[in-house]
Amino acid sequence: EPEVTQTPSHQVTQMGQEVILRCVPISNHLYFYWYRQILGQKVEFLVSFYNNEISEKSEIFDDQFSVERPDGSNFTLKIRSTKLEDSAMYFCASSPTTWLNYGYTFGSGTRLTVV
Amino acid sequence: GNSVTQMEGPVTLSEEAFLTINCTYTATGYPSLFWYVQYPGEGLQLLLKATKADDKGSNKGFEATYRKETTSFHLEKGSVQVSDSAVYFCALSDRNAGNMLTFGGGTRLMVKP
């Protein structure tokens, strides 16, 4: 069964450093997403991406965040200057269509720890 | 705005017990409803879904019925197994609010032999 792959599974970074979280969506999917889950809290939407541009973003997705699909297979989330409160599990997802009848396919997540 | 509320866990059951995890929602439009499951160390997997009122989603012995009158989508299973131990998330999508998913807080289920 096709999978969404995320790397690394766990990343530790110092406050103020830049991090890039990587995702390989399912190859024939067109829509890509990032969600995050702070420990003990809800899974929250960050951003959706289609046709090489952001289609929607939440209030959480401020100027320190950016997304990119650099080579047609990878989908990355960059956090420019990490803060302690960015520590969370970050999930990538993809879907073949925007119509959510089908649900997304999620990756296993990257646990980001900012120290 | 849209929101999902689900019962707090952990829920601890013995094998073969009946499971109910409550989920209620608030939505401005006509949402689709989902249950996702997260097994230890894994990502979120779609368990079942329902796209309109009175639809019943089912998978792997789990069921949930979209109840518009009570704005609920409770997850049930008649006989749980140890392998069902996981965190369960209720979620909705609302076409009037874009294509993002709004999640509940998750409910951890622990099934003991």
Side-chain angles (χ1 to χ4, degrees):
Chain A
E1 188 171 334
E3 292 183 344
V4 173
T5 305
Q6 289 187 244
T7 55
S9 57
H10 191 188
Q11 179 149 1
V12 180
T13 189
Q14 290 203 332
M15 189 169 53
Q17 295 296 305
E18 175 183 286
V19 295
I20 298 176
L21 309 183
R22 302 181 190 280
C23 170
V24 179
I26 293 174
S27 61
N28 63 348
H29 283 188
L30 301 176
Y31 295 84
F32 315 113
Y33 314 87
W34 285 100
Y35 284 74
R36 78 172 186 189
Q37 184 183 28
I38 295 172
L39 187 63
Q41 299 186 24
K42 293 185 178 184
V43 179
E44 301 171 295
F45 170 77
L46 292 179
V47 65
S48 60
F49 191 86
Y50 170 71
N51 200 25
N52 284 321
E53 61 182 23
I54 291 172
S55 51
E56 292 177 270
K57 60 182 180 179
S58 71
E59 293 178 351
I60 302 168
F61 194 87
D62 61 21
D63 291 344
Q64 72 160 341
F65 291 92
S66 62
V67 290
E68 193 177 32
R69 189 157 162 80
D71 56 13
S73 62
N74 289 285
F75 179 51
T76 61
L77 174 68
K78 181 190 293 185
I79 309 175
R80 287 191 184 80
S81 178
T82 50
K83 306 171 190 171
L84 294 177
E85 54 264 37
D86 293 327
S87 295
M89 180 73 87
Y90 288 81
F91 292 105
C92 174
S94 67
S95 66
T97 171
T98 188
W99 177 228
L100 284 185
N101 272 347
Y102 305 99
Y104 303 157
T105 302
F106 282 88
S108 298
T110 293
R111 181 168 298 283
L112 176 65
T113 303
V114 182
V115 298
Chain B
N2 296 334
S3 67
V4 176
T5 302
Q6 56 183 112
M7 60 190 294
E8 291 191 17
V11 173
T12 304
L13 296 173
S14 297
E15 209 165 20
E16 299 184 2
F18 184 87
L19 168 71
T20 300
I21 300 178
N22 290 338
C23 170
T24 57
Y25 67 89
T26 302
T28 54
Y30 298 94
S32 295
L33 301 173
F34 305 85
W35 276 100
Y36 280 84
V37 59
Q38 184 179 29
Y39 299 104
E42 299 186 16
L44 297 162
Q45 300 177 24
L46 179 64
L47 180 60
L48 53 85
K49 59 177 170 64
T51 58
K52 60 183 187 298
D54 300 325
D55 269 3
K56 178 186 283 187
S58 62
N59 186 25
K60 300 181 181 179
F62 291 90
E63 292 183 341
T65 301
Y66 188 146
R67 301 286 188 201
K68 190 177 179 187
E69 64 276 13
T70 54
T71 61
S72 65
F73 192 55
H74 304 321
L75 182 68
E76 296 181 336
K77 187 175 185 183
S79 176
V80 294
Q81 306 300 312
V82 172
S83 57
D84 293 327
S85 298
V87 181
Y88 292 81
F89 293 90
C90 186
L92 70 82
S93 70
D94 181 351
R95 297 182 88 173
N96 294 331
N99 61 337
M100 76 278 289
L101 284 166
T102 300
F103 283 89
T107 302
R108 181 175 298 279
L109 170 65
M110 300 170 60
V111 181
K112 297 184 175 180

